[in-house]
Amino acid sequence: MDSFKFRQQNSRGCVLDQPQYIGEYCVNAQRGIILGRSQARYLCNFRINRECHMDLNEGYEIFDAKIEPSNEKIDILLKWLMLHSLPGDSLKKVCHDADFVSWRGIFARIAATPSNKDEHWMFAVVCYKSVIFLCEYPTEQKLTMLANMSNRDKIMAYWGFKFEQFMTSSHPESVPDTKKPVTNKEEFHIMVKSKFNESHLKILYSAETDGLYYASGAYVELKTMRFDGQKKHSWDRKALKWFLQSYLTATKEIVVGLRDDSGYLFANYIS
C-alpha cells in the first residue's frame, strides 16, 4: 500500500497543465517558414462519419516525399524563435520562460517509454542561457529499419498521407483534390507551452497538425487503421501514441480512416 501511494504522489507531479497555444506557422517545400495558417489544411466535413471508397495506393508512384532520415534537427523550431526575437530580448523571454524546448514528438516519446521499452531513442541535450534544448538523432535501430524497408512498408507509410489529402482541402469551401501528387514536404505547425503542475517546470514545443475545422478553428488529427473481418480494432501501440499526441496539443478529436490490408479505405469516424 505504501508503494502504491508513493507512485500516486509521483504521478501527480508529472501531470501537465492544459496546453496553451501561442502561435501557428507553415513550412513550405523549401523548408522555409511562413507565420500564420496560410498553408493550413481544412477538414472536409461532408466526408466524416460515413462510408467512403478510396484506394489509398492511388498516386504512390508520384509521391513527393521527404528524405528520411532527415538532417533537419530542430532548425525549423529555431527559425520560429528567431522570427519572434526582438533586439534586447533574453532567450528566456523569447522561449516564453520555458525550461525545455523541443518538438512534441520528443516529449511524447519520453512519456511513452515506460509502456514501449522496445523502441529506442537518442537525444542531444544542450543547455544555453538557462534553456534546455532537446534534439533527436536516429538510433541504429531506426537507421536499420529505414534501410530495410520493403516496398510494401513504404506504400503502407504512404497511405496515411493519402488519407490526409482525401480528408482535407486548402480552402474551407473547396473539395479535396485527390489527383494531384501527395507531398509531405509542406506542413502546418502550432507552438504550444505548458508546465508540470507541481514541479513548475515549463516546456515549449512545436507540433505538426493535420488540419483544422474552419468554423471553430479547432485542430484535428487524421489517422488510418486496419479493420479486420471480426470488426475489432487493432490498437496495439497506436492508442497510447495517439493519446499522447492529442493530449500535448489539447486536440479533442481524431478522424480515423478504416482500411483493409490492401489499402482500400471504406469508412471513417470521429474518435
Side-chain angles (χ1 to χ4, degrees), residues 138-163:
T139 62
E140 287 298 322
Q141 180 191 51
K142 177 68 176 292
L143 292 173
T144 299
M145 184 273 292
L146 290 172
N148 294 328
M149 284 184 74
S150 65
N151 190 56
R152 176 168 172 78
D153 291 333
K154 295 175 182 178
I155 291 175
M156 290 179 69
Y158 170 78
W159 291 345
F161 298 116
K162 187 64 180 180
F163 180 62

Side-chain angles (χ1 to χ4, degrees), residues 3-240:
S3 176
F4 175 73
K5 288 181 179 179
F6 176 76
R7 287 197 295 269
Q8 274 193 320
Q9 290 167 355
N10 274 357
S11 66
R12 285 201 303 270
C14 293
V15 174
L16 280 177
D17 283 355
Q18 178 76 6
Q20 299 179 43
Y21 306 123
I22 59 173
E24 299 174 332
Y25 67 93
C26 301
V27 181
N28 60 26
Q30 293 72 42
R31 311 311 290 165
I33 72 171
I34 306 164
L35 299 181
R37 55 174 62 170
S38 61
Q39 293 182 253
R41 307 288 298 180
Y42 295 89
L43 190 65
C44 185
N45 291 332
F46 68 83
R47 286 185 171 167
I48 299 174
N49 286 335
R50 63 177 58 198
E51 291 186 6
C52 50
H53 304 282
M54 175 71 189
D55 183 1
L56 296 176
N57 299 283
E58 184 179 295
Y60 173 69
E61 64 281 356
I62 54 173
F63 179 33
D64 184 22
K66 286 193 297 188
I67 297 174
E68 294 287 354
S70 170
N71 194 36
E72 201 165 57
K73 303 182 176 65
I74 58 171
D75 294 357
I76 296 293
L77 184 53
L78 296 178
K79 288 179 183 179
W80 186 90
L81 292 173
M82 291 175 66
L83 286 175
H84 287 79
S85 175
L86 297 175
D89 282 350
S90 67
L91 179 61
K92 201 76 170 176
K93 180 180 179 181
V94 175
C95 294
H96 291 259
D97 204 33
D99 300 291
F100 296 89
V101 176
S102 192
W103 298 111
R104 169 186 59 180
I106 284 184
F107 294 118
R109 206 179 311 281
I110 293 172
T113 297
S115 301
N116 190 12
K117 297 179 181 179
D118 294 333
E119 185 173 326
H120 305 165
W121 46 258
M122 180 169 63
F123 304 146
V125 181
V126 175
C127 182
Y128 182 68
K129 295 186 177 180
S130 300
V131 180
I132 298 173
F133 294 86
L134 289 83
C135 178
E136 185 169 12
Y137 282 79
T139 62
E140 287 298 322
Q141 180 191 51
K142 177 68 176 292
L143 292 173
T144 299
M145 184 273 292
L146 290 172
N148 294 328
M149 284 184 74
S150 65
N151 190 56
R152 176 168 172 78
D153 291 333
K154 295 175 182 178
I155 291 175
M156 290 179 69
Y158 170 78
W159 291 345
F161 298 116
K162 187 64 180 180
F163 180 62
E164 292 174 12
Q165 185 192 62
F166 178 72
M167 291 299 301
T168 63
S169 61
S170 58
H171 188 275
E173 298 178 357
S174 63
V175 176
D177 182 358
T178 59
K179 298 301 181 184
K180 64 185 296 186
V182 173
T183 180
N184 63 350
K185 293 179 179 178
E186 298 176 350
E187 303 160 4
F188 173 57
H189 288 251
I190 56 177
M191 290 296 299
V192 184
K193 66 177 181 179
S194 187
K195 69 181 179 70
F196 295 100
N197 60 5
E198 289 192 6
S199 68
H200 302 296
L201 287 173
K202 299 177 182 178
I203 58 176
L204 175 71
Y205 48 96
S206 180
E208 183 180 359
T209 303
D210 295 330
L212 47 85
Y213 285 98
Y214 175 64
S216 65
Y219 305 114
V220 63
E221 292 289 338
L222 300 170
K223 305 292 183 183
T224 61
M225 183 170 64
R226 177 180 176 273
F227 195 75
D228 66 24
Q230 301 299 316
K231 297 185 178 181
K232 294 180 181 178
H233 296 163
S234 176
W235 284 104
D236 49 58
R237 297 174 182 173
K238 287 186 178 181
L240 177 61

